[in-house]
């Protein structure tokens, strides 16, 4: 049976097709495993294997991604990684291209947090339209926190300083541990049933992601969303973010800041401005979250076509060439060393001074030629890499943006090239070299062409 010439593939074509198949049909995966064979190349890239009790897989993490890893990986570490399934075509090796890496315990909690946040956001629990406004002058403030925690002490001190006459009702509850989420939900329900306060502060002091986890539980989020009394979330420090912060009517960066928000002060107008600022921050946060999701989707689509992929392949190939060159040089040095030992043995037997000098001169010549050849090969490889990088940078759309140009799109995503595409009040999205700007058209000025 004769094969059709159209069905005959080269090895390179086959490997390219397999790589595209892996990246298209499997794409991004999350997995855990133990690090082994970890190597940090001089280029800044990492190469390692992830293994479990039965299998292992080769991985590469390029310099642009491993700079964001907050710890130094080593052999034996258990990690959670986000990776793209791919293949290193020159060797035909199936491998993973790692995009993020975390220690397994913290990584699982962070992944669970992101998944729950996306699910609740899709249900509309974070929508600004569902949030209640805080009362301008509350008659009674409820505090839901631990009765022995520092957060309660801070809140009471601020309320006493700003408005000593403001009544306070404390609903003590657990704020850490497996039973804390149910206890917090019950305290919110009890405050709503008694209906003796017109605003509630729910929170605690700072801690680790695991310490604050009860405020990420679904029962707490849904109870806050169902509350008839406006709720201020005051969990941890300013850098701590929980699901409760997204669901609550207002998020305060600290318990003390929450007390500032709900208490009356001589600067009443300032309090109004703070509330409006917080509402604007929440709206911007929701908008940024949606834009980030859209950006992630676009980046994922772009990653299949971006010239960075080709550059990564070339960089990995250079690392492979350097490794093979080092092995070849080691073998060659070993061979010359063996020859030298043989000559030395013969010399010990014959002791001819002249032949010793000749062999030493020949050995020096070999060493000089070898060093020159190695330097020439390495210089050629570096020049080729620099040329490829310069070529890629010249054709990159990001280079055009970095020179001061921008791209504007209307609310439907169409690129704006003519002022007649816009009218006053339209939303305009402008892409710059280091971010996006969203603006609203207030006036239009048509530039008339000279006759």
């Amino acid at each position: 049976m004769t094969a059709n010439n159209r069905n005959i593939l080269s090895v390179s074509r086959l490997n390219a097709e397999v790589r595209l198949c892996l990246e298209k049909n499997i794409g991004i995966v999350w997995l855990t495993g133990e690090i082994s064979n970890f190597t940090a190349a001089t280029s800044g890239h990492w190469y390692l294997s992830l293994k479990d009790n039965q299998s292992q897989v080769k991985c590469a993490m390029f310099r642009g991604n491993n700079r964001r890893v907050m710890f130094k990986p080593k052999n034996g570490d258990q990690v959670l990684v986000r990776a793209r399934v791919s293949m290193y075509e020159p060797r035909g090796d199936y491998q993973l291209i790692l995009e993020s890496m975390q220690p397994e315990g913290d990584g699982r909690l962070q992944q669970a947090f992101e998944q729950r946040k996306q699910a609740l956001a899709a249900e509309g629990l974070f929508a600004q339209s569902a949030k209640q406004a805080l009362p301008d002058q509350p008659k009674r403030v409820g505090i839901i926190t631990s009765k022995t925690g520092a957060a309660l002490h801070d809140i009471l001190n601020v309320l006493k300083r700003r408005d000593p006459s403001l009544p306070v009702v404390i609903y003590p509850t657990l704020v850490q541990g497996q039973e804390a989420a149910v206890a917090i939900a019950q305290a919110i329900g009890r405050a709503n049933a008694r209906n003796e306060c017109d605003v509630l502060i729910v929170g605690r002091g700072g801690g680790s992601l695991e310490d604050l986890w009860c405020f990420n539980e679904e029962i707490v989020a849904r109870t806050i969303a169902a509350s008839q009394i406006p709720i201020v979330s005051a969990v941890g420090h300013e850098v701590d973010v929980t699901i409760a912060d997204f669901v609550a009517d207002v998020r305060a960066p600290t318990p003390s800041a929450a007390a500032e928000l709900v208490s009356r002060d001589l600067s009443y107008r300032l309090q109004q401005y703070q509330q409006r600022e917080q509402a604007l921050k929440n709206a911007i946060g929701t908008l940024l979250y949606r834009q980030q999701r859209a950006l992630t989707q676009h980046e994922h689509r772009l990653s299949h076509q971006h010239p960075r992929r080709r550059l990564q392949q070339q960089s990995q190939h250079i690392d492979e060439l350097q490794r093979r060159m080092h092995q070849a040089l080691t073998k060659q040095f070993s061979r010359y060393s063996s020859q030298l030992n043989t000559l030395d043995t013969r010399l010990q037997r014959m002791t001819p001074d002249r032949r010793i000098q000749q062999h030493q001169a020949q050995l020096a010549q070999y060493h000089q030629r070898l060093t020159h050849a190695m330097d020439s090969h390495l210089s050629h490889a570096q020049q080729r890499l620099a040329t490829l990088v310069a070529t890629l940078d010249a054709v990159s759309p990001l280079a055009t943006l970095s020179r001061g140009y921008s791209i504007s799109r209307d609310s439907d995503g169409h690129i704006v090239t003519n002022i007649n595409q816009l009218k006053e009040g339209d939303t305009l999205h402008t892409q710059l070299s280091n971010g996006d700007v969203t603006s609203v058209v207030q006036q239009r000025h048509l530039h008339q062409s000279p006759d």
Side-chain angles (χ1 to χ4, degrees), residues 381-392:
Q382 290 175 339
Q383 290 177 0
R384 184 181 176 191
L385 175 60
T387 302
L388 290 173
V389 170
T391 303
L392 288 175

Side-chain angles (χ1 to χ4, degrees), residues 301-425:
R301 293 172 57 189
L302 181 61
S303 67
H304 293 285
Q305 304 172 357
H306 201 281
R308 186 186 299 114
R309 178 74 56 80
R310 185 75 176 273
L311 184 59
Q312 289 175 347
Q313 288 279 348
Q314 293 290 341
S315 182
Q316 186 173 356
H317 183 60
I318 289 175
D319 290 337
E320 176 68 14
L321 290 177
Q322 288 179 335
R323 183 187 65 81
R324 289 165 59 187
M325 181 176 65
H326 182 268
Q327 291 177 346
L329 291 175
T330 301
K331 289 182 179 179
Q332 195 164 4
F333 276 125
S334 177
R335 185 166 59 251
Y336 283 131
S337 178
S338 177
Q339 292 178 356
L340 180 61
N341 289 334
T342 301
L343 292 174
D344 184 63
T345 301
R346 294 172 61 187
L347 179 63
Q348 293 297 329
R349 295 175 181 175
M350 302 175 64
T351 62
D353 293 340
R354 185 174 182 180
R355 296 188 65 183
I356 290 176
Q357 294 175 357
Q358 290 176 346
H359 283 301
Q360 287 179 338
Q362 187 178 22
L363 180 61
Q365 183 180 9
Y366 285 157
H367 184 272
Q368 182 179 6
R369 289 170 59 187
L370 179 61
T371 302
H372 177 75
M374 181 179 66
D375 292 341
S376 177
H377 184 77
L378 183 59
S379 175
H380 179 72
Q382 290 175 339
Q383 290 177 0
R384 184 181 176 191
L385 175 60
T387 302
L388 290 173
V389 170
T391 303
L392 288 175
D393 184 66
V395 301
S396 172
L398 299 179
T400 302
L401 293 178
S402 66
R403 293 197 296 268
Y405 292 91
S406 63
I407 302 174
S408 297
R409 292 181 171 85
D410 59 21
S411 57
D412 294 328
H414 298 136
I415 295 178
V416 177
T417 60
N418 193 303
I419 194 173
N420 294 324
Q421 293 179 241
L422 302 172
K423 61 180 183 297
E424 294 183 3

Side-chain angles (χ1 to χ4, degrees), residues 136-327:
D136 292 337
Q137 296 185 359
K139 299 178 181 178
R140 186 177 285 109
V141 175
I143 304 173
I144 299 177
T145 188
S146 170
K147 62 181 179 182
T148 60
L152 178 61
H153 179 74
D154 294 341
I155 293 172
L156 293 178
N157 279 345
V158 172
L159 293 178
K160 182 178 180 181
R161 172 176 55 81
R162 288 173 56 85
D163 191 354
S165 64
L166 181 62
V168 176
V169 179
I170 300 173
Y171 302 91
T173 181
L174 296 173
V175 292
Q176 185 172 336
Q178 295 182 349
E179 301 176 358
V182 174
I184 294 170
Q186 291 175 345
I188 296 174
R190 186 163 59 252
N192 276 266
R194 290 166 59 171
N195 197 26
E196 55 193 346
C197 301
D198 45 9
V199 64
L200 296 174
I201 298 175
V202 180
R204 57 155 285 169
S208 65
L209 179 60
E210 185 176 1
D211 294 338
L212 305 179
W213 190 253
C214 57
F215 292 93
N216 293 321
E217 295 289 359
E218 188 172 345
I219 185 174
V220 174
R222 296 193 182 279
T223 304
I224 292 176
S227 174
Q228 298 299 312
I229 303 175
I231 291 180
V232 178
S233 174
V235 182
H237 304 298
E238 186 170 0
V239 296
D240 299 321
V241 180
T242 65
I243 299 294
D245 294 331
F246 293 102
V247 183
D249 299 293
V250 174
R251 185 247 177 177
T254 63
S256 297
E260 297 272 355
L261 284 174
V262 303
S263 58
R264 292 172 293 213
D265 197 3
L266 297 178
S267 304
Y268 173 66
R269 186 175 296 276
L270 176 61
Q271 181 182 3
Q272 285 185 319
Y273 289 155
Q274 290 174 340
Q275 292 176 354
R276 292 173 183 174
E277 180 184 9
Q278 186 61 43
L280 180 59
K281 287 181 178 179
N282 290 338
I284 293 175
T286 301
L287 178 61
L288 289 177
Y289 172 72
R290 293 174 180 172
Q291 294 293 333
Q292 184 63 40
R293 287 186 61 188
L295 178 60
T296 300
Q297 293 175 352
H298 291 317
E299 286 179 343
H300 179 65
R301 293 172 57 189
L302 181 61
S303 67
H304 293 285
Q305 304 172 357
H306 201 281
R308 186 186 299 114
R309 178 74 56 80
R310 185 75 176 273
L311 184 59
Q312 289 175 347
Q313 288 279 348
Q314 293 290 341
S315 182
Q316 186 173 356
H317 183 60
I318 289 175
D319 290 337
E320 176 68 14
L321 290 177
Q322 288 179 335
R323 183 187 65 81
R324 289 165 59 187
M325 181 176 65
H326 182 268
Q327 291 177 346

Side-chain angles (χ1 to χ4, degrees), residues 30-49:
W30 289 87
L31 73 158
T32 60
E34 178 184 336
I35 293 178
S36 65
N37 301 322
F38 179 84
T39 301
T42 56
S43 61
H45 306 325
W46 292 349
Y47 301 101
L48 60 132
S49 295

